[in-house]
Amino acid sequence: MAEYIIGVDLGATKILTGIATPDGNILFKNKVPTLSSRGAADVLDRLCKSIETVVQQAGVDFNQISGIAVATPGPFAYPEAIVRDSPNLEWDYVPIKEELSRRLKRDIIVDKDTNMAVLGEYYFGQNKRYKQMLYITVSTGVGGGIIIDGQLYRGANGGAGEFGHMVISPDGPRCGCGHRGCLEALVSGTAMEREAAELILQGHGRGILACSANGQVGVKEIGIAARKGDSEARDLINRASQYLATGMANLVNIFNPEIIVLGGGVAFGLSDLLIEPTTAFLHKNIFSLHQEILKIELSRLGEDIGLFGCIAAVLHNGKGL
Ligand SMILES: [Zn+2]
């Protein structure tokens, strides 16, 4: 009997669920809003409903599902599998694995979204070519995943990979975590939007504002303005590139990776403007020993990276994870 795997990428704004064959062919996907303000029980109920939807879409039976894995925003305590003090989901303490396993009446795999993403990239994006790999997502926030010697590295209790909270500029803007000048407070979509809004408030940023249909400016409008040659938009992106490269140089000095893969909405949306200056600035700031082996790439898995990670987690659970 054919076997299928279900992956769920639980995000702050949407729940993306997919059903796939073990070779990574995603057959059907379902996307519903997270609506985390309704509370954890409601979100988890809708997550289960979304699993039912893809099972029905694929026309398969529940006993043909060989495994279910869920990617969740952190902080995520491991191995207890508890989401703790999550700013994105506004959850204080949710034993997510236990709650979902009870609802679905079977054991499921849960891990932090960035851990799932780096697994997806390691197994499906790069096909295990690189044993020392870092993944950085630049999106509304900034996070990361670490592969060392071909194994996912979680740290002592699940807290490794918080690249977004590396302090890059101690006097910089306040971060959501409470500290100042974290990478996330400098290069995330939220940070770039804030910078553009400040420019406009000071009577500048006309080129960026002109790209907006409704007066709201986001990463998309900044990108459009920069592509039209607007110098303020270009400066804003170049500053973000320098901060991102500084963070990456710190990581290169610590981990000596073979590859750093970038993903997330900001990295995808601004890839033509961000990747090259970031790489150039990074290369100026690392030792030649690190540089000669290092590759920088944009993930080719797009928004499905979390789903691919879930598939990988089911396939390799207990075998090196
Ligand atoms: Zn922070």
Side-chain angles (χ1 to χ4, degrees):
M1 188 163 37
E3 286 199 343
Y4 301 89
I5 293 169
I6 289 176
V8 185
D9 193 356
L10 169 61
T13 56
K14 64 175 195 302
I15 301 168
L16 179 65
T17 303
I19 184 163
T21 53
D23 57 355
N25 184 16
I26 298 171
L27 304 171
F28 292 95
K29 287 194 278 185
N30 179 255
K31 199 192 281 191
V32 293
T34 306
L35 308 174
S36 57
S37 57
R38 291 191 191 171
D42 182 81
V43 172
L44 297 179
D45 284 345
R46 273 179 305 107
L47 191 157
C48 294
K49 181 81 195 147
S50 152
I51 290 175
E52 270 176 42
T53 305
V54 292
V55 170
Q56 280 166 10
Q57 279 176 319
V60 302
D61 207 79
F62 254 104
N63 60 23
Q64 289 172 272
I65 307 299
S66 58
I68 301 175
V70 176
T72 176
F76 180 73
Y78 184 88
E80 300 87 349
I82 295 166
V83 176
R84 282 173 38 177
D85 308 317
S86 172
N88 291 338
L89 292 171
E90 299 167 53
W91 291 358
D92 294 333
Y93 186 95
V94 175
I96 183 168
K97 181 178 158 79
E98 190 186 312
E99 287 287 332
L100 285 173
S101 297
R102 184 170 56 76
R103 280 170 170 80
L104 295 163
K105 297 183 180 65
R106 64 186 289 165
D107 194 31
I108 64 157
I109 298 166
V110 184
D111 213 328
K112 191 163 69 168
D113 47 11
T114 45
N115 286 343
M116 287 297 196
V118 79
L119 284 177
E121 192 59 41
Y122 178 72
Y123 284 106
F124 289 101
Q126 303 293 339
N127 206 16
K128 297 190 280 183
R129 257 192 307 261
Y130 305 103
K131 302 294 175 202
Q132 321 297 338
M133 171 193 279
L134 301 177
Y135 170 76
I136 305 177
T137 175
V138 187
S139 182
T140 34
V142 174
I146 305 163
I147 297 281
I148 295 176
D149 296 336
Q151 306 272 312
L152 179 65
Y153 180 75
R154 292 191 175 84
N157 65 351
E162 293 291 350
F163 300 160
H165 302 285
M166 263 188 291
V167 176
I168 302 294
S169 168
D171 301 319
R174 183 79 66 186
C175 179
C177 74
H179 295 126
R180 280 191 180 279
C182 295
L183 186 61
E184 180 165 303
L186 296 164
V187 310
S188 64
T190 321
M192 291 173 80
E193 271 174 42
R194 188 201 57 235
E195 267 210 60
E198 278 169 10
L199 270 177
I200 290 161
L201 209 62
Q202 292 158 9
H204 304 291
R206 287 200 192 89
I208 302 172
L209 194 57
C211 296
S212 166
N214 56 7
Q216 298 285 321
V217 290
V219 169
K220 188 175 156 209
E221 288 75 22
I222 298 167
I224 297 170
R227 285 180 201 105
K228 285 182 178 169
D230 180 78
S231 62
E232 287 176 316
R234 284 188 169 261
D235 286 349
L236 204 156
I237 293 170
N238 283 337
R239 269 198 306 279
S241 305
Q242 292 200 2
Y243 288 131
L244 180 58
T246 305
M248 287 164 71
N250 291 342
L251 294 171
V252 166
N253 282 318
I254 297 166
F255 291 102
N256 183 202
E258 294 168 276
I259 186 166
I260 301 179
V261 179
L262 291 164
V266 174
F268 289 128
L270 299 180
S271 61
D272 56 325
L273 300 160
L274 195 70
I275 306 287
E276 201 226 279
T278 302
T279 307
F281 194 78
L282 172 64
H283 281 305
K284 274 192 223 149
N285 286 281
I286 53 177
F287 294 113
S288 60
L289 177 75
H290 295 143
Q291 193 182 325
E292 65 196 20
I293 195 169
L294 181 67
K295 289 183 180 59
I296 309 293
E297 280 187 21
L298 188 69
S299 173
R300 279 161 286 180
L301 301 178
E303 82 159 9
D304 291 338
I305 189 165
L307 296 185
F308 281 107
C310 289
I311 300 166
V314 169
L315 292 174
H316 300 277
N317 191 33
K319 285 180 264 170
L321 283 189

